[in-house]
Amino acid sequence: MKASRLAGAAAVAVSAVVVLSTPCFAHVTVQPEGTAAKGGYAVVDFKVPNERDNASTTKLEISFPTEHPLSSVMPEPVPGWEAKVTKSTLDKPIESHGRQITEAVTKVTWTADGKGIQPGFFQKFPVSVGALPEDADELVFKAIQTYSNDEVVRWIEVPQEGQEEPDNPAPALELSAAEDGHHGSSGSKASDEPADDASAAAANTTTTEAAEPADSTDTTARVLGVVGIVVGAAGVAYGVLAGRRRDTTA
């Protein structure tokens, strides 16, 4: 009896821990696919879980930081969702690839054209972003999640260092150290890209030309091999027939 009671108490305690800890993992987050290096480009995933048992997530709004505007923001198509990109004029133009950018994406909105994110599921919304700032350690994106029952959850609270995580934290993207020769750095030029493409094309051409003689040699060797086999087989057959003729003559 004591063992049963202890087991029951332990099960209740575990269940309580799971229930209490679940909200900590159920907020909207952002993570890079690979690395998100300062000054470079990256593909980031906004992960949206459904926290409700009786409603679906049907809309997601992500606000992009205006203090560090990004010159390039391109959402990847997500089946069952329609993406809308909103641009705004910048208070201070930024320079990218030798030209000034006077406007940048300030919001991307995804709206479900079907059932959306069902209870018990999550959805990732990939976005290509860049060039990432070189003078920041992280980017904060404020998110608004809308459910099919018109409930709205605002993930807009910015976590403060040394304080507990807020109830509705905004997604934060940590930036890694700048990589050597990264694309989009302050030292790169737009004219460098065609040169890189031309080099790659030349390398591909050289590789193709060098491969052709090897292919021809392989083909010739195979043909000669087949001919040798046929000749050898013919010789064996001739030898067998000649032996039979001798036996018959004898």
Side-chain angles (χ1 to χ4, degrees):
M1 291 293 291
K2 290 183 178 180
S4 300
R5 291 176 181 175
L6 289 174
V12 171
V14 172
S15 299
V17 171
V18 172
V19 170
L20 291 175
S21 63
T22 299
C24 296
F25 299 95
H27 49 262
V28 177
T29 58
V30 59
Q31 292 292 334
E33 294 183 5
T35 60
K38 297 179 181 180
Y41 287 73
V43 174
V44 299
D45 294 331
F46 291 95
K47 182 179 178 181
V48 183
N50 191 330
E51 295 183 297
R52 302 295 179 261
D53 296 329
N54 58 351
S56 301
T57 296
T58 56
K59 187 177 181 181
L60 174 68
E61 299 173 68
I62 299 293
S63 294
F64 285 72
T66 55
E67 66 275 15
H68 295 292
L70 303 174
S71 60
S72 175
V73 175
M74 294 184 292
E76 179 179 319
V78 178
W81 294 81
E82 180 182 355
K84 178 184 178 182
V85 178
T86 302
K87 292 185 177 181
S88 300
T89 302
L90 300 176
D91 295 333
K92 182 180 179 181
I94 60 176
E95 187 171 335
S96 177
H97 299 302
R99 62 190 182 93
Q100 282 196 335
I101 306 297
T102 58
E103 64 175 11
V105 173
T106 53
K107 181 187 292 185
V108 177
T109 303
W110 288 269
T111 305
D113 54 18
K115 296 181 179 180
I117 307 174
Q118 298 291 296
F121 292 86
F122 73 89
Q123 177 68 54
K124 288 183 179 181
F125 297 88
V127 183
S128 174
V129 296
L132 297 173
E134 298 184 8
D135 57 349
D137 294 325
E138 70 172 12
L139 292 179
V140 177
F141 303 85
K142 296 184 178 182
I144 299 178
Q145 183 179 11
T146 303
Y147 287 90
S148 56
N149 58 2
D150 295 330
E151 179 186 1
V152 176
V153 181
R154 301 178 183 276
W155 306 98
I156 61 174
E157 298 177 325
V158 180
Q160 301 297 326
E161 186 176 355
Q163 299 183 7
E164 294 184 358
E165 185 178 66
D167 293 334
N168 296 306
L173 175 67
E174 294 186 7
L175 304 181
S176 60
E179 300 176 352
D180 293 337
H182 60 263
H183 180 66
S185 65
S186 57
S188 64
K189 299 180 181 180
S191 58
D192 292 341
E193 295 180 9
D196 293 340
D197 294 341
S199 299
N204 291 336
T205 303
T206 302
T207 303
T208 303
E209 291 176 353
E212 287 178 358
D215 293 342
S216 301
T217 303
D218 291 343
T219 303
T220 303
R222 291 174 184 172
V223 172
L224 292 176
V226 172
V227 171
I229 293 172
V230 172
V231 171
V236 172
Y238 177 79
V240 172
L241 291 175
R244 288 183 179 179
R245 288 176 181 174
R246 293 194 189 98
D247 294 340
T248 302
T249 304

